[in-house]
Amino acid sequence: MLTKRIIPCLDVNAGRVVKGVNFIQLRDAGDPAELGRRYSEEGADELVFLDITASSDNRQTVRDMVRNVAREIFIPFTVGGGIRTVQDVQAILRAGADKVSLNTAAVENPKLVEQVAQEFGKQCVVVAIDAKRNGKSWNVFVKGGRQDTGLDALAWAEQVQELGAGEILLTSMDRDGTRAGYDLELTRAVSGRLNIPVIASGGAGSLESLADVFSRGNADAALAASIFHDKNYSVQDVKRYLQEKGIAVRM
């Protein structure tokens, strides 16, 4: 049985980790390298850093952050936000990241997913899908959750898998920051269509919610932010609970 991964997520704005609710109401949560080291020492399997207000003005800030993080941790980490070209990917990987997350750029230029997979390998291509419920389906949003593309999230997930994505980072915008539990229906629907790993994101609030996203949502990994930043639970707390529930994790 493959072990399930626990992945703290660090949203970064101007070089600082921030946290919000439903993609707004941002508050400061600390230094990326310091938090990264803490989670690495607690036993996180991987980390994800998302530059949520990425622009050409802060590309160097992000590369500096990646270098600082790479010096502090010894687990894989993914960086996303504002990555638009193969050259951007190369710069982030050279700075020390193990994977890149593509969202807006993938929607605007799907061929980028294919190009990055061919150039650097599928294992480093994470396609992030920010999905919001639209009746009985879910729409894909881009631009940090501000723009509805009209794309169906399930169809888009299948398309990027075909293009060469190594895994999907699936965020429920309806649950983001609410601590109300993951959108199990969404996670199940996407994972049921794919044969690449799905990382569930948005809604982690209790230990039960993390167990549910694996046992009922069929996720391969769970992303969480608030519960770790606010020290409600440590990564080890989560893993011990999952182990007690019979869910395979790396201790």
Side-chain angles (χ1 to χ4, degrees):
M1 184 188 300
L2 288 175
T3 57
K4 303 296 188 179
R5 290 171 288 154
I6 301 299
I7 307 176
C9 180
L10 301 93
D11 290 339
V12 179
N13 179 23
R16 297 287 294 177
V17 177
V18 295
K19 189 59 197 134
V21 178
N22 301 126
F23 282 46
I24 56 175
Q25 300 169 11
L26 302 181
R27 57 185 169 82
D28 188 271
D31 175 73
E34 288 178 11
L35 278 174
R37 183 175 66 245
R38 182 181 118 201
Y39 296 140
S40 178
E41 290 170 350
E42 283 183 7
D45 297 294
E46 298 182 21
L47 297 174
V48 168
F49 293 84
L50 299 177
D51 179 9
I52 60 171
T53 54
S55 72
S56 57
D57 296 338
N58 67 4
R59 287 297 89 209
Q60 187 58 49
T61 302
V62 172
R63 285 195 291 272
D64 288 344
M65 179 206 76
V66 173
R67 279 189 282 269
N68 291 338
V69 169
R71 281 194 290 265
E72 295 289 340
I73 71 172
F74 301 96
I75 57 175
F77 71 101
T78 300
V79 175
I83 298 172
R84 300 178 180 89
T85 66
V86 172
Q87 290 72 29
D88 289 341
V89 172
Q90 185 177 54
I92 293 295
L93 295 176
R94 280 184 172 172
D98 299 276
K99 306 176 190 179
V100 293
S101 173
L102 304 173
N103 187 346
T104 302
V107 172
E108 292 176 347
N109 176 23
K111 193 164 181 62
L112 178 63
V113 177
E114 189 173 40
Q115 291 170 333
V116 174
Q118 289 174 350
E119 184 76 20
F120 305 105
K122 290 184 179 183
Q123 79 288 340
C124 80
V125 185
V126 180
V127 173
I129 299 177
D130 295 336
K132 191 169 189 177
R133 188 176 284 276
N134 178 29
K136 293 186 177 181
S137 61
W138 295 267
N139 282 14
V140 175
F141 278 67
V142 294
K143 309 283 187 185
R146 294 185 294 275
Q147 181 179 319
D148 184 353
T149 66
L151 285 171
D152 176 77
L154 275 62
W156 175 236
E158 288 183 307
Q159 184 179 345
V160 295
Q161 175 178 264
E162 289 298 312
L163 288 167
E167 55 190 339
I168 300 294
L169 171 50
L170 178 65
T171 299
S172 165
M173 290 182 61
D174 303 296
R175 298 296 180 93
D176 176 70
T178 64
R179 304 197 187 195
Y182 295 89
D183 186 333
L184 302 182
E185 186 182 352
L186 169 64
T187 308
R188 234 184 351 256
V190 173
S191 63
R193 296 274 191 107
L194 306 180
N195 54 29
I196 58 175
V198 173
I199 305 166
S201 170
S206 64
L207 295 173
E208 291 85 353
S209 68
L210 283 139
D212 283 346
V213 81
F214 293 125
S215 61
R216 296 169 53 211
N218 301 333
D220 298 278
L223 205 75
S226 306
I227 62 168
F228 294 137
H229 298 340
D230 295 341
K231 299 186 179 180
N232 301 111
Y233 304 104
S234 70
V235 175
Q236 282 302 307
D237 291 336
V238 170
K239 288 191 168 186
R240 276 193 293 269
Y241 180 83
L242 294 175
Q243 200 172 48
E244 288 169 5
K245 294 293 180 181
I247 296 167
V249 291
R250 183 178 62 83
M251 296 299 289

